[in-house]
């Protein structure tokens, strides 16, 4: 892999923070955070920087690193096997070149992105632990 393990692990942490968020359900509750158990902390809001942080991490990667991330997703969700790493990276580059969506948009749009990246790493014999 051309991407450093610590970069993938950082992205997994940030993606997990997005995965636990839910849409606004009571935007003007007027309740006290102490009284409601601070559940609003898990509510996505327009000023939440988490998604922007993930976009910044992805934007800071070079082409090879972005292709590796996509390939890890392919392996993590079972589309390809670890033995097919070279083909997964080639397919990732083709997806990146042919798609009108940015890599960040594509990755953020994947449900459970963090889990898929983690499973991809594990299949490749690597781990953030």
């Amino acid at each position: 892999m051309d991407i450093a393990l610590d970069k993938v692990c950082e992205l997994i942490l940030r993606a997990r923070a997005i995965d636990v968020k839910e849409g606004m359900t009571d935007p003007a509750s007027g309740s006290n955070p102490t009284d409601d158990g601070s559940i609003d902390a898990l509510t996505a809001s327009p000023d939440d920087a988490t998604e922007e942080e993930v976009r910044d991490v992805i934007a800071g990667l070079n082409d090879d690193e972005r292709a590796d991330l996509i390939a890890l997703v392919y392996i993590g969700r079972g589309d390809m096997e670890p033995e097919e790493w070279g083909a997964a990276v080639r397919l990732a580059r083709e997806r990146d070149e042919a798609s009108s969506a940015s890599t960040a948009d594509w990755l953020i749009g994947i449900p459970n992105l963090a889990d898929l990246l983690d499973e991809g790493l594990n299949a490749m014999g690597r781990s953030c632990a």
Side-chain angles (χ1 to χ4, degrees):
M1 291 190 327
D2 288 321
I3 189 168
L5 181 61
D6 62 328
K7 289 182 180 181
V8 178
C9 294
E10 177 187 356
L11 187 59
I12 288 171
L13 274 173
R14 293 181 189 278
R16 285 200 198 287
I18 292 173
D19 286 344
V20 299
K21 298 278 186 173
E22 61 182 42
M24 296 284 283
T25 57
D26 189 13
S29 69
S31 68
N32 182 327
T34 304
D35 294 340
D36 65 15
S38 296
I39 60 171
D40 285 341
L42 296 179
T43 304
S45 65
D47 60 345
D48 187 2
T50 309
E51 184 175 321
E52 191 60 37
E53 292 169 353
V54 170
R55 289 180 184 285
D56 288 345
V57 170
I58 295 169
L61 301 176
N62 65 38
D63 293 341
D64 292 336
E65 292 170 326
R66 284 193 300 275
D68 280 2
L69 276 181
I70 296 168
L72 279 172
V73 169
Y74 292 157
I75 290 171
R77 68 181 180 196
D79 295 341
M80 303 185 91
E81 297 298 321
E83 300 80 30
E84 299 174 292
W85 178 254
V89 171
R90 278 191 302 280
L91 184 62
R93 286 193 175 114
E94 290 172 11
R95 190 230 61 91
D96 208 29
E97 292 170 4
S99 177
S100 60
S102 71
T103 301
D105 287 340
W106 187 78
L107 288 171
I108 289 171
I110 297 173
N112 300 318
L113 172 63
D115 293 337
L116 294 176
L117 289 172
D118 195 33
E119 289 173 23
L121 281 178
N122 289 333
M124 296 295 292
R126 317 247 345 240
S127 173
C128 293

